[in-house]
């Protein structure tokens, strides 16, 4: 355990077991609610390490802890209900909504049974071009390729040469582990123009990825089963999970409207909510959503939801395993930006 994690655990436990968090939550969430953002849910971190983008998952055990705690402490509502309350000017005192981004198969395999066990509603935002296919998002492809590079039976200098040729900079290690280094590269790649990033990924795919890849995203049949259960609703997340501030407006408009239509055609229900991929959007993007008939949209900005929140810019609190695997850490993250 590194020093930063140790300090966070110490402070979280101190605040939690002194019951300070309970008192603070009453004050901070007076008239406010919050939206939680999850991505992947896996049975075991180690088993799936080369298929996971670092910092983008919780384990099955962690998610179950979260839901059991939320049921005791807060009023869990659908995101649709939260949007309706905001539109009517109603308070959101201690309301919580659950969201999952992308449409991962493990949201169906692992999270869905936990949702049913605790009778917790959730909204899932689908990148429709990946649903029912064996395509991967580029961060997962890059993660797998970099694990393979690290595992190559070659000297450190040879591996470094390969990375340099591919324009990948892992920086100085500074005591970082492999997962942290890979996370640095993924964040670095997010700033690249779409075309530049795709050129590098094509090189990596041809060199490292097996053509018979594991299916990572859910199917439309699985989505339909979740929809029919009544606990889960679906929102749009573009077709190709593009960053909407990095493409032409015509492309952005098509990605938004097409993802909405595809979900409605497959599931037979209206789609009124949207999640911005990677949290990237512009004022023009908001106008496109409104023109397409969306009533609300969630960002990746951290914060609470209250009567002053823009329905097209609702903040969320991201949850992943290294910052929320214990209840003291989870509760502290709900209340303090330090966590």
């Amino acid at each position: 355990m590194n020093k930063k994690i140790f300090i966070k655990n110490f402070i979280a436990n101190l605040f939690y077991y002194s019951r300070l968090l309970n008192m603070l939550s009453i004050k901070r969430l007076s008239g406010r609610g919050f939206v939680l953002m999850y991505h992947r849910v896996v049975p075991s971190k180690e088993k799936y390490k080369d298929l996971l983008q670092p910092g983008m998952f919780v384990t099955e055990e962690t998610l179950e802890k979260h839901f059991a705690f939320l049921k005791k402490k807060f009023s869990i509502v659908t995101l649709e209900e939260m949007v309706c309350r905001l539109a009517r000017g109603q308070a959101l005192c201690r309301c919580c909504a659950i969201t999952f981004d992308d449409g991962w198969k493990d949201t169906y395999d692992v999270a869905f049974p936990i949702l049913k066990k605790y009778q917790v509603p959730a909204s899932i935002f689908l990148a429709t071009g990946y649903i029912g296919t064996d395509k991967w998002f580029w961060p997962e492809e890059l993660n797998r390729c970099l694990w393979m590079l690290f595992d190559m039976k070659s000297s450190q200098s040879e591996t470094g040469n390969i990375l340099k040729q591919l324009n990948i900079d892992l920086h100085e290690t500074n005591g970082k582990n492999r997962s942290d280094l890979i996370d640095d590269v993924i964040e670095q790649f997010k700033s690249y123009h779409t075309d530049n990033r795709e050129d590098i990924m094509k090189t990596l795919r041809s060199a490292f990825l097996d053509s018979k890849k594991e299916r990572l995203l859910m199917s439309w049949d699985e989505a339909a089963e979740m929809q029919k259960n009544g606990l889960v609703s679906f929102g749009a997340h573009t077709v190709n999970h593009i960053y909407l501030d990095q493409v032409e407006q015509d492309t952005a408009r098509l990605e938004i409207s097409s993802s909405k239509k595809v979900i409605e055609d497959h599931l037979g229900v209206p789609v009124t909510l949207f999640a911005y991929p990677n949290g990237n959007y512009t004022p023009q993007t908001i106008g496109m959503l409104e023109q397409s008939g969306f009533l609300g949209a969630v960002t990746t900005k951290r914060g609470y939801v209250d009567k002053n929140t823009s329905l097209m810019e609702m903040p969320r609190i991201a949850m992943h395993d290294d910052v929320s695997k214990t209840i003291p850490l989870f509760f502290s993250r709900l209340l303090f930006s330090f966590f």
Side-chain angles (χ1 to χ4, degrees):
M1 182 183 294
N2 66 39
K3 185 177 180 180
K4 186 175 181 180
I5 295 175
F6 176 82
I7 292 172
K8 284 187 176 183
N9 270 288
F10 177 81
I11 295 173
N13 284 328
L14 179 64
F15 285 175
Y16 180 75
Y17 290 108
S18 67
R19 301 190 65 79
L20 177 62
L21 295 180
N22 282 321
M23 292 185 287
L24 283 172
S25 72
I26 294 172
K27 181 177 181 180
R28 291 207 170 185
L29 293 170
S30 176
R32 293 168 161 180
F34 57 91
V35 183
L36 296 184
M37 174 175 62
Y38 294 94
H39 286 84
R40 303 198 60 186
V41 186
V42 296
S44 166
K45 174 182 176 180
E46 287 304 312
K47 181 179 178 181
Y48 293 89
K49 63 183 180 181
D50 64 338
L51 294 175
L52 292 171
Q53 181 184 348
M56 296 291 280
F57 71 92
V58 294
T59 64
E60 180 178 12
E61 179 184 9
T62 296
L63 188 68
E64 186 152 1
K65 287 179 185 176
H66 290 181
F67 286 178
F69 178 78
L70 290 169
K71 289 278 284 189
K72 292 178 182 178
K73 293 287 186 180
F74 302 99
S75 174
I76 305 177
V77 300
T78 65
L79 187 59
E80 290 88 347
E81 173 64 17
M82 188 173 282
V83 168
C84 287
R85 291 189 188 188
L86 285 172
R88 294 193 296 259
Q90 294 177 331
L92 297 174
C93 187
R94 301 180 68 81
C95 284
C96 166
I98 308 294
T99 66
F100 293 87
D101 281 7
D102 304 327
W104 297 99
K105 186 175 184 295
D106 50 58
T107 304
Y108 170 79
D109 290 336
V110 184
F112 186 37
I114 302 175
L115 290 170
K116 289 189 290 185
K117 177 178 178 179
Y118 289 92
Q119 287 296 290
V120 170
S123 296
I124 301 174
F125 294 99
L126 301 179
T128 56
Y130 292 80
I131 304 304
T133 77
D134 62 357
K135 293 195 298 184
W136 290 10
F137 297 113
W138 69 260
E140 280 64 43
E141 291 185 317
L142 179 56
N143 184 52
R144 167 67 72 84
C145 292
L146 291 176
W147 274 97
M148 291 180 177
L149 271 174
F150 274 121
D151 289 338
M152 286 174 61
K153 296 185 182 301
S154 58
S155 69
Q156 189 173 358
S157 62
E158 288 172 339
T159 301
N161 287 334
I162 295 173
L163 295 171
K164 186 175 181 180
Q165 291 170 12
L166 294 171
N167 196 32
I168 298 173
D169 181 11
L170 286 177
H171 317 295
E172 295 296 326
T173 61
N174 292 326
K176 291 183 178 180
N177 61 33
R178 187 182 297 188
S179 292
D180 289 338
L181 290 173
I182 291 174
D183 208 22
D184 284 347
V185 176
I186 291 173
E187 288 304 312
Q188 174 188 329
F189 266 48
K190 288 180 179 180
S191 66
Y192 291 3
H193 187 276
T194 303
D195 294 340
N196 294 340
R197 185 168 59 234
E198 184 58 24
D199 287 342
I200 298 173
M201 290 308 305
K202 284 180 180 177
T203 302
L204 287 168
R205 288 185 196 112
S206 63
F208 294 104
L209 285 182
D210 190 332
S211 60
K212 297 180 179 179
K213 295 185 296 185
E214 177 181 345
R215 178 167 69 91
L216 296 183
L217 282 297
M218 68 178 65
S219 69
W220 285 110
D221 285 343
E222 290 163 345
E225 180 185 340
M226 298 174 85
Q227 174 75 38
K228 289 175 183 176
N229 176 269
L231 284 173
V232 174
S233 61
F234 290 92
H237 200 40
T238 74
V239 176
N240 295 298
H241 201 270
I242 60 168
Y243 300 166
L244 292 166
D245 61 345
Q246 295 182 1
V247 297
E248 297 293 331
Q249 288 195 30
D250 286 346
T251 300
R253 187 175 290 105
L254 184 61
E255 286 275 335
I256 290 168
S257 60
S258 295
S259 61
K260 183 180 192 295
K261 186 177 186 305
V262 168
I263 298 172
E264 290 175 341
D265 288 348
H266 275 280
L267 300 181
V269 293
V271 172
T272 61
L273 299 176
F274 188 87
Y276 303 104
N278 200 52
N280 294 37
Y281 66 98
T282 66
Q284 290 74 27
T285 308
I286 294 174
M288 295 174 194
L289 292 178
E290 291 171 340
Q291 291 166 12
S292 296
F294 288 97
L295 301 179
V298 289
T299 70
T300 58
K301 295 175 184 176
R302 187 168 177 174
Y304 298 129
V305 179
D306 61 29
K307 63 182 181 180
N308 297 314
T309 300
S310 166
L311 291 179
M312 292 299 177
E313 298 177 277
M314 298 174 67
R316 292 188 287 178
I317 302 173
M319 288 298 168
H320 42 95
D321 216 62
D322 56 346
V323 298
S324 67
K325 62 185 175 183
T326 69
I327 291 303
L329 281 173
F330 177 63
F331 202 3
S332 296
R333 187 165 175 81
L334 292 178
L335 300 174
F336 297 105
S337 59
F338 171 72
F339 291 89

